Amino acid sequence: MKTKEPIWISLGVLLTLCYLLPLFWLGEQAHVRIHDNLDSNIVWYKNLVDSNSVYAGLQDTVPNLVGGVVSRNAFVSEWTGIIWLYQWFDPFAAYVISQTLTRIFAFIGLYLLLRHHLTLQLPRAVIMLVAVLFAWTPVWPSGMLSTLGMPLLLWVYLNLWHKQRVAWSLVTLVVVPFYSSFVLGIVFFLALLAGFGLYREWRQKSFHSLFWSAFGVQMLLYLLIEYRLVYSMLWEGEATSRDQFDLGHNGILRTIRLFFKQFVLGHTHAEAAQTPVLLVLILSVLVVAFNKKDPTVRWLKQGLFLLAGLSFWYAGWFYTGWNPLKERIHVMQTFNFARFHFVEPMLWYILFALALDWLWRRARQRLVLIAVLLQAVVLLIWNPEVIYRQQPSFSEFYAVRQFSDIRSYISQPVDTYQVVSLGLHPAISQYNGFRTLDGYVNFYPLTYKQKFRTIIQGELKKSPQLQRYFDNWGNRVYIYAAELGKHYDYTKTNQKPVRQLDIDTVQLKRMGGNYLLSAVPIRNASSIGLKLEKTFRDAQSAWIIYLYRVAPEGG
């Protein structure tokens, strides 16, 4: 490493941390993503710790959510590093530390990849800034290094291919699996890497034994770490909600539309924020230099073609034409093979660096600096504190003091009753120690889905959208109301009373439901066996909670 390299890396780390300043400064008053984050992952980790289920056996369930029937294997294993953070720290601190580690190594990974394996004439300052921008991308926060760690892994594998920096590479190769998800990102990266490696070996008539040995070791390590998932997919005998996943419902026109949406906007779990700056810049360079014999132009063409191919694969996976094959091959129904989109952010920023390099070599330094500045503005606008500022903050969402008041009012041991929620996520009750019949999980027994459906079937009949959503996916085991739709954010400033709730409270009681916590008033509560106990308000909470008691059968 050259003398000034640590200086550039240190400066890049400081700039990367600037993106996280709202978390450091505002604490639990900061705004973070709710979807697939506050409503799920954070609560999953907390519940595993609180219920002493982190090290539970392969046949055990997690007691605090979805009626206590969800297999421990539905969650990450105890060998996944993010669980350790939630064991050592409170949930918000664990979240901030995880974000800090992830984004620092995102920066380091892309910086090293661009410096060591791309022949760029860009100054190190610009390379450093491109890597910082990659670390600022608004990807799914619970993914750890699954997406943002890909440049670091690619740097490792290219080092091993060329037999460079072997010691550091092998250490990194072993450590990363403990802080990333195999199925939510890395398996797709490794599949593309294997395809690229085999193609290069065929073209060069060679065999890079160190590269392939390391590849095999890392694959084995991931499978060992994810042993719970492997067991659940191969040997779990009970039918689960995965067996009713939607096989694909898009016709040709919707598939084409989804392709363009994915290519231009990206996926919610792997957003590169490539529009407008990155996409326009790359296309502009290709238009200007399309016929020029320049390696950079060739790489830009191939990279954009690969991105288009990944978007096409993603859109095509949900095309109805696949269904006959999916019905025959069970794993094609229970595993989402469309998720190559996790690789896209890395590819977009590699192409961004190549396009900037092409401009720099043609004395267009001002355009380079403008492009970097504009992308920084785009990403700052995408900062969670900006885009989620109209949503509840971390502390307002979980409303700890308000739910403590509810728990005190009920005045029973929390393991003696169960609750459900309406108009707000069940995760809030779960975070505050309540046992819930509802919840959001990766999979759960199909028999439970069928029993729970009886509770909400009256509402599902009113809404074809909700019926498809629950029957064809169903991982959100929620008390739905057609009048509310697929919304779970009815805060105290967004009240919409439910005039006619058609749920089977007898079935709710049979399944062990004792209370319903609603974010909105239910006008016909008494006629369906619900008794309003008390309304809870709290200045530090986003919600008004209407506590309804489920009447005994026949009561």
Side-chain angles (χ1 to χ4, degrees):
M1 194 176 282
K2 297 183 179 179
T3 306
K4 294 184 178 180
E5 205 82 276
I7 297 176
W8 290 111
I9 291 177
S10 299
L11 180 58
V13 168
L14 289 175
L15 290 174
T16 296
L17 293 178
C18 287
Y19 189 77
L20 301 176
L21 278 177
L23 291 176
F24 301 141
W25 183 260
L26 297 174
E28 292 193 14
Q29 294 304 315
H31 296 82
V32 301
R33 176 184 174 124
I34 293 176
H35 177 64
D36 284 349
N37 192 39
L38 292 182
D39 66 353
S40 49
N41 291 79
I42 290 175
V43 173
W44 296 346
Y45 307 142
K46 184 179 187 298
N47 270 335
L48 288 175
V49 173
D50 291 349
S51 64
N52 296 315
S53 299
V54 173
Y55 304 101
L58 291 171
Q59 307 297 327
D60 292 335
T61 59
V62 179
N64 291 2
L65 68 170
V66 192
V69 301
V70 181
S71 170
R72 170 63 182 89
N73 305 325
F75 307 100
V76 296
S77 86
E78 60 271 33
W79 294 104
T80 306
I82 198 166
I83 281 288
W84 306 340
L85 293 180
Y86 282 79
Q87 289 179 291
W88 300 335
F89 304 98
D90 68 78
F92 183 77
Y95 180 82
V96 174
I97 293 169
S98 179
Q99 281 292 285
T100 303
L101 292 173
T102 299
R103 295 187 181 276
I104 286 175
F105 283 100
F107 159 74
I108 292 173
L110 189 63
Y111 180 83
L112 294 176
L113 178 65
L114 297 179
R115 286 282 297 132
H116 295 157
H117 294 293
L118 272 74
T119 307
L120 302 176
Q121 294 184 22
L122 287 172
R124 271 183 285 185
V126 177
I127 293 175
M128 180 265 292
L129 289 173
V130 172
V132 168
L133 294 179
F134 173 72
W136 284 7
T137 50
V139 300
W140 178 47
S142 296
M144 302 169 283
L145 290 173
S146 306
T147 297
L148 292 179
M150 286 182 187
L152 185 62
L153 281 181
L154 184 55
W155 173 77
V156 164
Y157 279 108
L158 290 175
N159 287 340
L160 298 177
W161 185 276
H162 298 292
K163 296 183 179 178
Q164 301 169 347
R165 310 171 194 90
V166 173
W168 276 108
S169 298
L170 292 177
V171 170
T172 305
L173 181 140
V174 170
V175 171
V176 169
F178 290 93
Y179 210 75
S180 56
S181 171
F182 184 59
V183 294
L184 296 176
I186 297 299
V187 65
F188 303 100
F189 166 80
L190 292 177
L192 288 177
L193 182 69
F196 173 79
L198 290 171
Y199 174 75
R200 295 287 293 175
E201 300 284 36
W202 175 71
R203 287 290 303 272
Q204 298 175 359
K205 302 294 189 292
S206 60
F207 182 74
H208 292 72
S209 58
L210 180 60
F211 173 92
W212 291 110
S213 296
F215 184 91
V217 168
Q218 189 171 63
M219 282 284 291
L220 179 61
L221 183 57
Y222 268 113
L223 293 176
L224 290 173
I225 291 172
E226 301 273 14
Y227 76 97
R228 292 183 181 275
L229 178 67
V230 173
Y231 176 85
S232 71
M233 294 193 71
L234 297 181
W235 294 293
E236 198 101 63
E238 185 177 18
T240 70
S241 57
R242 287 188 300 205
D243 294 295
Q244 284 191 343
F245 279 0
D246 184 9
L247 298 178
H249 54 270
N250 290 344
I252 292 178
L253 291 180
R254 290 187 67 179
T255 298
I256 293 172
R257 187 170 58 195
L258 184 57
F259 160 74
F260 282 107
K261 179 182 177 182
Q262 171 65 22
F263 183 72
V264 174
L265 301 178
H267 190 277
T268 180
H269 285 159
E271 290 169 312
Q274 69 267 26
T275 305
V277 178
L278 273 62
L279 181 58
V280 170
L281 178 69
I282 294 165
L283 289 174
S284 299
V285 170
L286 285 177
V287 169
V288 172
F290 191 81
N291 292 319
K292 292 185 174 10
K293 293 184 178 180
D294 185 317
T296 299
V297 175
R298 187 177 71 252
W299 292 337
L300 286 173
K301 291 178 184 177
Q302 294 173 348
L304 208 59
F305 181 78
L306 176 58
L307 282 164
L310 296 180
S311 296
F312 179 77
W313 173 260
Y314 173 81
W317 184 255
F318 303 101
Y319 173 56
T320 55
W322 278 101
N323 289 355
L325 186 60
K326 290 178 179 178
E327 290 170 354
R328 291 174 175 268
I329 304 175
H330 187 251
V331 70
M332 292 181 69
Q333 180 179 352
T334 58
F335 184 78
N336 189 349
F337 285 90
R339 288 172 168 163
F340 281 93
H341 54 73
F342 284 111
V343 188
E344 292 176 3
M346 175 183 69
L347 296 177
W348 278 113
Y349 281 85
I350 290 175
L351 296 187
F352 183 44
L354 290 172
L356 294 177
D357 185 66
W358 188 90
L359 290 172
W360 190 274
R361 287 188 282 113
R362 279 147 188 81
R364 298 291 190 270
Q365 287 87 350
R366 184 175 297 178
L367 285 177
V368 169
L369 296 178
I370 290 173
V372 170
L373 179 60
L374 288 176
Q375 184 60 14
V377 171
V378 168
L379 291 169
L380 288 173
I381 292 172
W382 274 93
N383 188 285
E385 192 58 41
V386 177
I387 61 173
Y388 301 129
R389 66 187 181 280
Q390 301 300 325
Q391 298 180 0
S393 67
F394 187 98
S395 63
E396 290 171 335
F397 182 82
Y398 286 126
V400 171
R401 189 171 70 182
Q402 184 180 34
F403 275 74
S404 176
D405 291 342
I406 296 171
R407 193 166 53 246
S408 297
Y409 176 83
I410 294 174
S411 190
Q412 300 174 34
V414 291
D415 60 353
T416 63
Y417 62 92
Q418 296 183 95
V419 305
V420 292
S421 299
L422 176 69
L424 73 165
H425 293 281
I428 301 168
S429 296
Q430 294 161 7
Y431 185 93
N432 287 285
F434 289 90
R435 294 195 170 194
T436 70
L437 284 177
D438 49 0
Y440 177 20
V441 289
N442 291 320
F443 63 89
Y444 57 99
L446 187 58
T447 52
Y448 190 87
K449 180 179 181 180
Q450 294 162 346
K451 291 177 182 178
F452 194 90
R453 192 187 192 283
T454 302
I455 299 173
I456 58 175
Q457 63 183 350
E459 290 298 321
L460 297 184
K461 289 177 181 178
K462 298 179 186 177
S463 171
Q465 181 194 35
L466 288 176
Q467 183 169 325
R468 287 192 300 269
Y469 188 61
F470 185 78
D471 289 347
N472 297 338
W473 186 56
N475 284 4
R476 289 192 188 274
V477 196
Y478 282 21
I479 298 293
Y480 291 108
E483 294 177 44
L484 302 181
K486 285 171 55 180
H487 300 285
Y488 329 106
D489 54 356
Y490 288 90
T491 64
K492 55 190 174 186
T493 59
N494 179 27
Q495 289 289 288
K496 182 181 179 181
V498 176
R499 302 187 182 279
Q500 186 68 34
L501 183 65
D502 291 315
I503 62 171
D504 188 339
T505 55
V506 173
Q507 175 70 0
L508 176 58
K509 189 69 175 180
R510 285 174 181 165
M511 292 182 66
N514 305 99
Y515 294 95
L516 186 149
L517 282 63
S518 180
V520 296
I522 302 169
R523 297 295 189 221
N524 67 323
S526 59
S527 66
I528 61 171
L530 296 175
K531 180 181 183 299
L532 180 61
E533 291 281 323
K534 187 177 180 181
T535 301
F536 294 84
R537 291 176 170 85
D538 189 282
Q540 298 177 12
S541 164
W543 322 101
I544 299 173
I545 301 297
Y546 302 85
L547 177 66
Y548 293 92
R549 180 169 56 85
V550 182
E553 291 186 44

